[in-house]
Amino acid sequence: MDFLPPKNDFVFKRLFGDAHNTDILLAFLNAVLLDANEAPLKSIELLNPFLDKQREDDKLAVLDILVRSADDELVDL
């Protein structure tokens, strides 16, 4: 059986950027944090990945995935 590559941008966003899959995203983030000897996250909230322009000449920025932790920390993936 062939699987879609999780490093593909579309597949990554579908796996980790869907509100129904926050448990998968939380497990992924905690595995990365554990490997970096950082404290695990308790919970996360998916946020709008579009960053508003601050000035008229700014470019529109779109993050792959933006989450807020229970400690109110923003995490950009």
Side-chain angles (χ1 to χ4, degrees), residues 4-5 13 18 23-24 32-34 39 41 46 52 54-55 57 59 64 66-68 74 76:
L4 296 172
K13 286 180 185 181
D18 187 304
D23 55 336
I24 297 170
V32 172
L33 291 170
L34 178 66
L41 300 171
L46 281 171
D52 291 332
Q54 299 299 315
R55 300 186 324 224
D57 60 337
K59 290 185 175 183
D64 286 334
L66 179 63
V67 298
R68 182 185 315 276
L74 293 178
D76 166 28

Side-chain angles (χ1 to χ4, degrees), residues 3-77:
F3 292 99
L4 296 172
K7 291 181 183 178
N8 175 287
D9 196 44
F10 175 78
V11 176
F12 185 86
K13 286 180 185 181
R14 293 295 295 174
L15 278 175
F16 299 110
D18 187 304
H20 295 98
N21 296 335
T22 55
D23 55 336
I24 297 170
L25 177 58
L26 184 60
F28 171 73
L29 291 173
N30 282 334
V32 172
L33 291 170
L34 178 66
D35 191 51
N37 294 320
E38 296 287 335
L41 300 171
K42 296 178 186 90
S43 65
I44 54 172
E45 168 193 3
L46 281 171
L47 301 174
N48 181 357
F50 293 90
L51 301 180
D52 291 332
K53 294 181 179 184
Q54 299 299 315
R55 300 186 324 224
E56 184 177 322
D57 60 337
D58 284 347
K59 290 185 175 183
L60 175 67
V62 182
L63 306 173
D64 286 334
I65 298 173
L66 179 63
V67 298
R68 182 185 315 276
S69 72
D71 298 330
D72 209 34
E73 182 179 351
L74 293 178
V75 181
D76 166 28
L77 302 178

